[in-house]
Amino acid sequence: MTREALCAAAIQAMGKAYAPYSGYKVGAAVLTTDGKVYTGCNIENASYTPTICAERTAIFKAVSEGEREFAMLAVCGGKDGLITGAFPPCGVCRQVMAEFCPKDMPILIVTGEESHTACTLGELLPYAFDTNYIEK
Ligand code: THU
């Protein structure tokens, strides 16, 4: 799958966002190492804190289906679903990514309907606290 196709999947998922409080619609798509795509959107709540981000929706959908290995993630967002620039992953989503994704995994941050910028998870969350610090 191309980077552009994963970004397009994130943009499509943004259409399902439930964001009546902030108005910011967000979409994400995560690619597994065996080529499957799981998408997610943000889902807000009247009590605010139960809100879940698009990235975590996508990752949790995949993990709950048994997926454990990921190759790439794309995210997009904007007010009323209008993409006017980058909408990068929040810290909590970065931490969830660090649980399942390799440090060199590309994160595609959509910047427009047909453009994105890319960085690695390690760049987004350096010196991450991850499973290596926990005795099992
Ligand atoms: N949001 C995401 O879905 N992903 C992020 O990484 C950042 C924030 C959502 C949460 C909330 O519904 C809205 O964007 C505004 O913060």
Side-chain angles (χ1 to χ4, degrees), residues 22 24 26 42 44 51 53-55 87-90 93:
S22 76
Y24 284 91
V26 188
N42 56 328
E44 297 187 344
T51 293
C53 294
E55 301 93 312
F87 210 79
C90 80
C93 291

